[in-house]
mmCIF file of all heavy atoms in Angstrom:
data_model
loop_
_atom_site.group_PDB
_atom_site.id
_atom_site.type_symbol
_atom_site.label_atom_id
_atom_site.label_comp_id
_atom_site.label_asym_id
_atom_site.label_seq_id
_atom_site.Cartn_x
_atom_site.Cartn_y
_atom_site.Cartn_z
ATOM 1 N N ASN A 1036 -17.794 -17.396 -15.285
ATOM 2 C CA ASN A 1036 -18.526 -16.301 -16.029
ATOM 3 C C ASN A 1036 -19.381 -15.538 -15.115
ATOM 4 O O ASN A 1036 -19.509 -14.289 -15.246
ATOM 5 C CB ASN A 1036 -19.286 -16.921 -17.162
ATOM 6 C CG ASN A 1036 -18.452 -17.501 -18.260
ATOM 7 O OD1 ASN A 1036 -17.299 -17.110 -18.405
ATOM 8 N ND2 ASN A 1036 -18.966 -18.433 -19.029
ATOM 9 N N SER A 1037 -19.989 -16.185 -14.164
ATOM 10 C CA SER A 1037 -20.782 -15.482 -13.181
ATOM 11 C C SER A 1037 -19.944 -14.495 -12.352
ATOM 12 O O SER A 1037 -20.311 -13.328 -12.117
ATOM 13 C CB SER A 1037 -21.478 -16.451 -12.238
ATOM 14 O OG SER A 1037 -22.212 -15.733 -11.213
ATOM 15 N N THR A 1038 -18.781 -14.927 -11.936
ATOM 16 C CA THR A 1038 -17.872 -14.062 -11.167
ATOM 17 C C THR A 1038 -17.410 -12.905 -12.030
ATOM 18 O O THR A 1038 -17.405 -11.726 -11.571
ATOM 19 C CB THR A 1038 -16.649 -14.845 -10.696
ATOM 20 O OG1 THR A 1038 -17.143 -15.996 -9.934
ATOM 21 C CG2 THR A 1038 -15.790 -14.020 -9.862
ATOM 22 N N ILE A 1039 -17.035 -13.196 -13.274
ATOM 23 C CA ILE A 1039 -16.564 -12.123 -14.156
ATOM 24 C C ILE A 1039 -17.677 -11.147 -14.470
ATOM 25 O O ILE A 1039 -17.501 -9.908 -14.538
ATOM 26 C CB ILE A 1039 -15.949 -12.698 -15.491
ATOM 27 C CG1 ILE A 1039 -14.676 -13.463 -15.122
ATOM 28 C CG2 ILE A 1039 -15.710 -11.644 -16.500
ATOM 29 C CD1 ILE A 1039 -14.079 -14.203 -16.327
ATOM 30 N N ASP A 1040 -18.845 -11.668 -14.700
ATOM 31 C CA ASP A 1040 -20.035 -10.804 -14.997
ATOM 32 C C ASP A 1040 -20.298 -9.841 -13.819
ATOM 33 O O ASP A 1040 -20.604 -8.642 -14.071
ATOM 34 C CB ASP A 1040 -21.251 -11.606 -15.318
ATOM 35 C CG ASP A 1040 -21.152 -12.327 -16.629
ATOM 36 O OD1 ASP A 1040 -20.326 -11.908 -17.473
ATOM 37 O OD2 ASP A 1040 -21.955 -13.277 -16.885
ATOM 38 N N GLU A 1041 -20.168 -10.330 -12.613
ATOM 39 C CA GLU A 1041 -20.395 -9.470 -11.486
ATOM 40 C C GLU A 1041 -19.325 -8.406 -11.349
ATOM 41 O O GLU A 1041 -19.604 -7.255 -11.041
ATOM 42 C CB GLU A 1041 -20.461 -10.354 -10.175
ATOM 43 C CG GLU A 1041 -21.669 -11.255 -10.130
ATOM 44 C CD GLU A 1041 -21.751 -11.978 -8.798
ATOM 45 O OE1 GLU A 1041 -21.251 -11.472 -7.790
ATOM 46 O OE2 GLU A 1041 -22.279 -13.136 -8.779
ATOM 47 N N LEU A 1042 -18.073 -8.817 -11.632
ATOM 48 C CA LEU A 1042 -16.990 -7.822 -11.570
ATOM 49 C C LEU A 1042 -17.192 -6.749 -12.684
ATOM 50 O O LEU A 1042 -16.997 -5.548 -12.431
ATOM 51 C CB LEU A 1042 -15.651 -8.476 -11.703
ATOM 52 C CG LEU A 1042 -15.237 -9.389 -10.497
ATOM 53 C CD1 LEU A 1042 -13.948 -10.146 -10.854
ATOM 54 C CD2 LEU A 1042 -15.068 -8.573 -9.249
ATOM 55 N N GLU A 1043 -17.481 -7.242 -13.878
ATOM 56 C CA GLU A 1043 -17.692 -6.300 -14.960
ATOM 57 C C GLU A 1043 -18.939 -5.423 -14.736
ATOM 58 O O GLU A 1043 -18.977 -4.277 -15.150
ATOM 59 C CB GLU A 1043 -17.782 -7.047 -16.276
ATOM 60 C CG GLU A 1043 -16.424 -7.653 -16.713
ATOM 61 C CD GLU A 1043 -16.550 -8.342 -18.022
ATOM 62 O OE1 GLU A 1043 -17.686 -8.689 -18.448
ATOM 63 O OE2 GLU A 1043 -15.489 -8.587 -18.652
ATOM 64 N N GLY A 1044 -19.916 -5.987 -14.087
ATOM 65 C CA GLY A 1044 -21.074 -5.262 -13.728
ATOM 66 C C GLY A 1044 -20.737 -4.119 -12.810
ATOM 67 O O GLY A 1044 -21.361 -2.990 -12.914
ATOM 68 N N LEU A 1045 -19.863 -4.367 -11.833
ATOM 69 C CA LEU A 1045 -19.397 -3.239 -10.984
ATOM 70 C C LEU A 1045 -18.690 -2.146 -11.752
ATOM 71 O O LEU A 1045 -18.897 -0.947 -11.480
ATOM 72 C CB LEU A 1045 -18.473 -3.799 -9.919
ATOM 73 C CG LEU A 1045 -19.060 -4.775 -8.882
ATOM 74 C CD1 LEU A 1045 -18.004 -5.307 -7.974
ATOM 75 C CD2 LEU A 1045 -20.112 -4.030 -8.030
ATOM 76 N N THR A 1046 -17.899 -2.555 -12.772
ATOM 77 C CA THR A 1046 -17.215 -1.556 -13.575
ATOM 78 C C THR A 1046 -18.242 -0.726 -14.400
ATOM 79 O O THR A 1046 -18.063 0.466 -14.523
ATOM 80 C CB THR A 1046 -16.216 -2.288 -14.481
ATOM 81 O OG1 THR A 1046 -15.304 -3.060 -13.739
ATOM 82 C CG2 THR A 1046 -15.472 -1.237 -15.372
ATOM 83 N N VAL A 1047 -19.231 -1.419 -14.910
ATOM 84 C CA VAL A 1047 -20.266 -0.690 -15.669
ATOM 85 C C VAL A 1047 -20.989 0.322 -14.817
ATOM 86 O O VAL A 1047 -21.256 1.464 -15.220
ATOM 87 C CB VAL A 1047 -21.262 -1.702 -16.284
ATOM 88 C CG1 VAL A 1047 -22.458 -0.975 -16.904
ATOM 89 C CG2 VAL A 1047 -20.571 -2.541 -17.360
ATOM 90 N N LYS A 1048 -21.270 -0.075 -13.567
ATOM 91 C CA LYS A 1048 -21.921 0.854 -12.639
ATOM 92 C C LYS A 1048 -21.041 2.084 -12.392
ATOM 93 O O LYS A 1048 -21.518 3.219 -12.348
ATOM 94 C CB LYS A 1048 -22.240 0.185 -11.336
ATOM 95 C CG LYS A 1048 -23.358 -0.890 -11.404
ATOM 96 C CD LYS A 1048 -23.578 -1.474 -9.994
ATOM 97 C CE LYS A 1048 -24.679 -2.497 -10.025
ATOM 98 N NZ LYS A 1048 -24.976 -3.083 -8.706
ATOM 99 N N LEU A 1049 -19.780 1.811 -12.252
ATOM 100 C CA LEU A 1049 -18.785 2.879 -12.038
ATOM 101 C C LEU A 1049 -18.720 3.770 -13.251
ATOM 102 O O LEU A 1049 -18.675 5.055 -13.095
ATOM 103 C CB LEU A 1049 -17.430 2.322 -11.675
ATOM 104 C CG LEU A 1049 -16.377 3.260 -11.135
ATOM 105 C CD1 LEU A 1049 -16.902 3.974 -9.866
ATOM 106 C CD2 LEU A 1049 -15.098 2.514 -10.826
ATOM 107 N N ARG A 1050 -18.728 3.225 -14.441
ATOM 108 C CA ARG A 1050 -18.679 4.021 -15.688
ATOM 109 C C ARG A 1050 -19.955 4.870 -15.806
ATOM 110 O O ARG A 1050 -19.947 6.035 -16.225
ATOM 111 C CB ARG A 1050 -18.524 3.113 -16.850
ATOM 112 C CG ARG A 1050 -17.137 2.606 -17.072
ATOM 113 C CD ARG A 1050 -16.283 3.764 -17.662
ATOM 114 N NE ARG A 1050 -14.922 3.721 -17.051
ATOM 115 C CZ ARG A 1050 -14.122 4.716 -17.043
ATOM 116 N NH1 ARG A 1050 -14.510 5.910 -17.470
ATOM 117 N NH2 ARG A 1050 -12.911 4.600 -16.572
ATOM 118 N N ASP A 1051 -21.073 4.202 -15.484
ATOM 119 C CA ASP A 1051 -22.367 4.981 -15.596
ATOM 120 C C ASP A 1051 -22.365 6.145 -14.614
ATOM 121 O O ASP A 1051 -22.880 7.270 -14.917
ATOM 122 C CB ASP A 1051 -23.533 4.049 -15.270
ATOM 123 C CG ASP A 1051 -23.735 3.028 -16.340
ATOM 124 O OD1 ASP A 1051 -23.246 3.208 -17.489
ATOM 125 O OD2 ASP A 1051 -24.398 1.985 -16.079
ATOM 126 N N LEU A 1052 -21.800 5.948 -13.455
ATOM 127 C CA LEU A 1052 -21.682 7.032 -12.455
ATOM 128 C C LEU A 1052 -20.845 8.202 -13.061
ATOM 129 O O LEU A 1052 -21.229 9.361 -12.976
ATOM 130 C CB LEU A 1052 -21.058 6.534 -11.173
ATOM 131 C CG LEU A 1052 -20.754 7.569 -10.086
ATOM 132 C CD1 LEU A 1052 -22.040 8.256 -9.634
ATOM 133 C CD2 LEU A 1052 -19.991 6.952 -8.963
ATOM 134 N N LEU A 1053 -19.637 7.852 -13.600
ATOM 135 C CA LEU A 1053 -18.779 8.940 -14.133
ATOM 136 C C LEU A 1053 -19.453 9.622 -15.322
ATOM 137 O O LEU A 1053 -19.349 10.835 -15.441
ATOM 138 C CB LEU A 1053 -17.466 8.302 -14.590
ATOM 139 C CG LEU A 1053 -16.570 7.723 -13.469
ATOM 140 C CD1 LEU A 1053 -15.335 7.103 -14.052
ATOM 141 C CD2 LEU A 1053 -16.214 8.757 -12.421
ATOM 142 N N GLN A 1054 -20.164 8.847 -16.139
ATOM 143 C CA GLN A 1054 -20.834 9.436 -17.258
ATOM 144 C C GLN A 1054 -21.960 10.427 -16.818
ATOM 145 O O GLN A 1054 -22.136 11.467 -17.377
ATOM 146 C CB GLN A 1054 -21.432 8.376 -18.194
ATOM 147 C CG GLN A 1054 -22.090 8.913 -19.458
ATOM 148 C CD GLN A 1054 -22.556 7.796 -20.346
ATOM 149 O OE1 GLN A 1054 -22.296 6.595 -20.084
ATOM 150 N NE2 GLN A 1054 -23.282 8.132 -21.370
ATOM 151 N N SER A 1055 -22.616 9.964 -15.754
ATOM 152 C CA SER A 1055 -23.719 10.851 -15.231
ATOM 153 C C SER A 1055 -23.102 12.136 -14.596
ATOM 154 O O SER A 1055 -23.773 13.200 -14.605
ATOM 155 C CB SER A 1055 -24.542 10.120 -14.211
ATOM 156 O OG SER A 1055 -23.743 9.807 -13.033
ATOM 157 N N LEU A 1056 -21.899 12.040 -14.121
ATOM 158 C CA LEU A 1056 -21.260 13.205 -13.499
ATOM 159 C C LEU A 1056 -20.437 13.975 -14.522
ATOM 160 O O LEU A 1056 -19.788 14.975 -14.173
ATOM 161 C CB LEU A 1056 -20.334 12.746 -12.364
ATOM 162 C CG LEU A 1056 -21.028 12.014 -11.190
ATOM 163 C CD1 LEU A 1056 -19.975 11.615 -10.182
ATOM 164 C CD2 LEU A 1056 -22.051 12.938 -10.506
ATOM 165 N N ASN A 1057 -20.506 13.599 -15.802
ATOM 166 C CA ASN A 1057 -19.754 14.253 -16.871
ATOM 167 C C ASN A 1057 -18.268 14.238 -16.603
ATOM 168 O O ASN A 1057 -17.560 15.237 -16.859
ATOM 169 C CB ASN A 1057 -20.234 15.704 -17.026
ATOM 170 C CG ASN A 1057 -19.919 16.278 -18.397
ATOM 171 O OD1 ASN A 1057 -19.746 15.479 -19.375
ATOM 172 N ND2 ASN A 1057 -19.840 17.576 -18.549
ATOM 173 N N LEU A 1058 -17.829 13.087 -16.095
ATOM 174 C CA LEU A 1058 -16.413 12.927 -15.776
ATOM 175 C C LEU A 1058 -15.812 11.854 -16.705
ATOM 176 O O LEU A 1058 -16.535 10.915 -17.106
ATOM 177 C CB LEU A 1058 -16.208 12.498 -14.319
ATOM 178 C CG LEU A 1058 -16.544 13.554 -13.291
ATOM 179 C CD1 LEU A 1058 -16.458 12.940 -11.828
ATOM 180 C CD2 LEU A 1058 -15.585 14.745 -13.366
ATOM 181 N N PRO A 1059 -14.604 12.027 -17.102
ATOM 182 C CA PRO A 1059 -13.586 13.039 -16.681
ATOM 183 C C PRO A 1059 -13.592 14.228 -17.617
ATOM 184 O O PRO A 1059 -12.635 15.048 -17.566
ATOM 185 C CB PRO A 1059 -12.315 12.266 -16.740
ATOM 186 C CG PRO A 1059 -12.495 11.338 -17.910
ATOM 187 C CD PRO A 1059 -13.905 10.943 -17.889
ATOM 188 N N GLY A 1060 -14.624 14.364 -18.505
ATOM 189 C CA GLY A 1060 -14.628 15.475 -19.455
ATOM 190 C C GLY A 1060 -14.523 16.845 -18.835
ATOM 191 O O GLY A 1060 -13.782 17.716 -19.288
ATOM 192 N N SER A 1061 -15.286 17.109 -17.789
ATOM 193 C CA SER A 1061 -15.357 18.406 -17.186
ATOM 194 C C SER A 1061 -13.967 18.773 -16.605
ATOM 195 O O SER A 1061 -13.466 19.930 -16.710
ATOM 196 C CB SER A 1061 -16.427 18.480 -16.111
ATOM 197 O OG SER A 1061 -16.139 17.482 -15.106
ATOM 198 N N LEU A 1062 -13.308 17.796 -16.025
ATOM 199 C CA LEU A 1062 -11.956 18.036 -15.418
ATOM 200 C C LEU A 1062 -10.928 18.196 -16.501
ATOM 201 O O LEU A 1062 -10.041 19.068 -16.382
ATOM 202 C CB LEU A 1062 -11.663 16.899 -14.500
ATOM 203 C CG LEU A 1062 -10.350 17.069 -13.659
ATOM 204 C CD1 LEU A 1062 -10.510 18.365 -12.764
ATOM 205 C CD2 LEU A 1062 -10.083 15.875 -12.793
#
Side-chain angles (χ1 to χ4, degrees):
N1036 291 336
S1037 173
T1038 304
I1039 292 176
D1040 289 343
E1041 291 185 29
L1042 292 174
E1043 290 181 342
L1045 292 174
T1046 303
V1047 170
K1048 289 181 179 180
L1049 192 56
R1050 281 286 142 201
D1051 291 341
L1052 172 65
L1053 295 179
Q1054 185 176 351
S1055 65
L1056 299 177
N1057 203 23
L1058 292 174
S1061 60
L1062 187 60

